[in-house]
Amino acid sequence: MIVEPKVKGFICTTAHPKGCAESVRRQIEVAKKKGRVEWPNKTSDGPVKALVIGSSTGYGLASRIAVAYGYGASTIGVAFEKEGRPEKNRTASAGWYNTIAFEEQAKADGLYAKSFNGDGFSDEMKQQVIEAIKADFGQVDIVVYSLAAPRRTVVDPATGESKAVTSVLKTTGEPYTNRTLNLRTNEITEVTVPVANDDEIQATITVMGGDDWEKWIHALDEAGVLADNAVTLAYSYIGPTMTHPIYKDGSIGQAKKDLFETSKRLSEDFSGKGVKAYVSVNKALVTQSSAAIPIVPLYISLLYKVMKAQGVHEGCIEQMVRLYTEKLPAAQTDAEGYIRMDDLEMADSVQNDVKKVWDDVSTETIKEYGDIDGYWEDFYQMFGFRYDNVDYTEDVEI
Ligand code: NAD
């Protein structure tokens, strides 16, 4: 089938298998170029063993690549992606193709890679992964939790009944009005973000807070497959004040506070085993999850322009390579205990330049001050499109 992009709202409903493989290949190149480092906490024989939950796209895929090529790690990945339906002319999701491409390329490079597709929130998935770790790894040294989802199915342990819990992207306190970029029309418009009620905040914490991460770590430990001195990481975002009402002080920010509390609790609970849990604060980037957050697209397009002009722009893979080869081995945290991968984004030199244009930028000047082309390039490339060395007129197996 000839696969073309079909963009609907914040997502593209098609993905290109060869383009996704190219995206993975380019990310592996970045990691290979940086080269190998020693993982300092290793207690077991053989290669470092890593489990990545949310391993198929964005920061999770980049983490898997960074640990595989940075430490020579064997990796097990967990993601929830859609298989292709050739009979209905439906391509698989990008993460499906990315995962296949990663496994192929990792194996060709002599690295163990196994992937599971299904609901990472479920007990069944945790059990399947634990069995695979027992069979192939013995224990895991690194657990990355990069799952990002709009909803979670929760099972009531008393009744066995399951219900869907849905997160919201709203503010807290007062409704918040600011400008956003309409990426369909490149117009700057005003948007008012409504206030989340207590139930919505609680639901967002259930989906995107630390509960499931904690469940994974306890399940791994109880099964005896969490190595002594293991390290586990989850990801967060803080950002500048103009994004605080929608992010840091919004419903998602409440979930991220819970994630950070969870990291402290995990490090305490497992201190006897030497296990450390970190939250890494990453840079704002175009991913399938971030594209849906109001106001953020305008900020990202101004940020990209400034960071590219200053020569400090990074994508997911550059961020994760720097995390796993530099900041994590050195256990470099700020005073609160966060690993700050957003150090370049939050530098005064960058934020001052973004602030200078934030209030004045208009539909007429957005092309000058914002990196709209860079935003769209990242967006299309996430789904395997717009790579100059992929032939998009070719028939491909979906
Ligand atoms: P993403 O949408 O690219 O990736 C999400 C991953 O989770 C995918 O692998 C997907 O398959 C998986 N997933 C979704 N539902 C699942 C389920 N039920 N079971 C198993 N896997 C499931 O998202 P991302 O932007 O890379 O986000 C990853 C983390 O990084 C999140 O915690 C996010 O808040 C954080 N973060 C993102 C940004 C950003 O700008 N994108 C910045 C800082 C921090």
Side-chain angles (χ1 to χ4, degrees):
M1 182 174 132
I2 291 171
V3 182
E4 288 176 344
K6 282 201 190 112
V7 178
K8 276 197 191 137
F10 307 114
I11 57 152
C12 179
T13 58
T14 54
H16 199 282
K18 289 205 170 165
C20 290
E22 177 59 16
S23 151
V24 170
R25 192 194 67 74
R26 289 187 186 195
Q27 294 189 57
I28 289 175
E29 280 305 301
V30 174
K32 278 187 176 169
K33 209 166 155 198
K34 179 77 187 200
R36 289 257 173 112
V37 298
E38 277 297 311
W39 170 241
N41 288 22
K42 213 165 145 305
T43 45
S44 60
D45 292 334
V48 175
K49 288 147 194 115
L51 166 64
V52 182
I53 302 149
S55 58
S56 58
T57 56
Y59 275 119
L61 172 64
S63 305
R64 189 176 194 184
I65 293 171
V67 297
Y69 287 87
Y71 306 142
S74 301
T75 59
I76 290 180
V78 179
F80 207 0
E81 298 294 341
K82 272 199 217 96
E83 195 171 352
R85 305 277 300 272
E87 73 286 1
K88 295 200 161 168
N89 282 342
R90 261 193 231 145
T91 72
S93 54
W96 179 275
Y97 295 134
N98 290 340
T99 301
I100 292 172
F102 173 78
E103 283 198 8
E104 279 177 9
Q105 295 184 49
K107 284 176 189 163
D109 287 324
L111 298 165
Y112 169 105
K114 188 176 253 179
S115 311
F116 289 86
N117 193 59
D119 185 7
F121 289 121
S122 70
D123 290 344
E124 292 76 16
M125 180 55 79
K126 293 182 178 75
Q127 276 320 310
Q128 275 186 48
V129 170
I130 285 168
E131 291 313 316
I133 296 171
K134 280 186 183 163
D136 294 359
F137 279 6
Q139 294 190 316
V140 279
D141 306 293
I142 300 171
V143 182
V144 179
Y145 189 85
S146 187
L147 194 161
R151 67 190 66 79
R152 166 180 179 181
T153 303
V154 180
V155 182
D156 183 335
T159 62
E161 267 174 45
S162 56
K163 65 168 182 189
V165 180
T166 303
S167 67
V168 298
L169 289 165
K170 292 187 179 177
T171 189
T172 58
E174 296 289 312
Y176 178 65
T177 302
N178 207 324
R179 287 164 341 136
T180 192
L181 176 60
N182 178 336
L183 287 159
R184 299 265 118 247
T185 58
N186 290 342
E187 270 174 327
I188 304 225
T189 54
E190 278 216 331
V191 59
T192 297
V193 183
V195 178
N197 63 35
D198 289 347
D199 288 348
E200 289 174 321
I201 292 173
Q202 199 43 55
T204 308
I205 293 173
T206 301
V207 180
M208 287 298 286
D211 176 63
D212 186 53
W213 181 26
E214 198 164 14
K215 284 202 163 75
W216 268 100
I217 300 302
H218 280 275
L220 295 167
D221 177 60
E222 280 155 25
V225 299
L226 187 67
D228 286 349
N229 303 323
V231 166
T232 182
L233 296 98
Y235 300 140
S236 187
Y237 183 67
I238 294 177
T241 48
M242 65 268 222
T243 66
H244 284 183
I246 183 63
Y247 204 99
K248 181 169 172 279
D249 300 332
S251 49
I252 180 73
Q254 309 312 304
K256 293 299 185 187
K257 269 185 207 139
D258 181 70
L259 193 73
F260 187 55
E261 292 308 315
T262 304
S263 72
K264 290 200 272 190
R265 201 163 49 239
L266 283 171
S267 290
E268 262 169 43
D269 288 352
F270 291 100
S271 58
K273 229 174 131 58
V275 171
K276 288 230 160 54
Y278 292 103
V279 170
S280 169
V281 181
N282 299 343
K283 177 192 180 186
L285 281 173
V286 182
T287 66
Q288 296 192 42
S289 297
S290 70
I293 308 176
I295 300 169
V296 167
L298 177 59
Y299 170 68
I300 286 184
S301 75
L302 301 181
L303 179 74
Y304 273 29
K305 184 84 168 195
V306 169
M307 291 189 82
K308 285 180 184 176
Q310 294 188 10
V312 292
H313 177 72
E314 292 177 314
C316 286
I317 189 64
E318 288 81 7
Q319 282 260 295
M320 293 300 95
V321 163
R322 195 156 64 88
L323 169 61
Y324 288 97
T325 62
E326 296 176 24
K327 294 231 176 186
L328 185 65
Q332 243 179 61
T333 63
D334 67 8
E336 279 183 275
Y338 285 106
I339 298 179
R340 301 303 295 259
M341 295 313 304
D342 63 344
D343 45 0
L344 302 177
E345 171 183 355
M346 297 310 291
D348 286 346
S349 52
V350 168
Q351 287 302 322
N352 289 342
D353 282 6
V354 172
K355 261 186 236 134
K356 263 187 231 156
V357 289
W358 178 266
D359 288 331
D360 296 331
V361 68
S362 62
T363 302
E364 289 68 40
T365 56
I366 182 64
K367 282 217 152 139
E368 185 186 339
Y369 294 121
D371 184 20
I372 294 195
D373 292 343
Y375 190 100
W376 280 116
E377 182 178 83
D378 274 16
F379 181 89
Y380 279 100
Q381 290 194 341
M382 246 175 0
F383 302 94
F385 297 105
R386 297 200 181 169
Y387 284 105
D388 52 10
N389 54 345
V390 173
D391 179 2
Y392 293 103
T393 61
E394 191 191 28
D395 237 322
V396 284
E397 195 77 55
I398 59 163

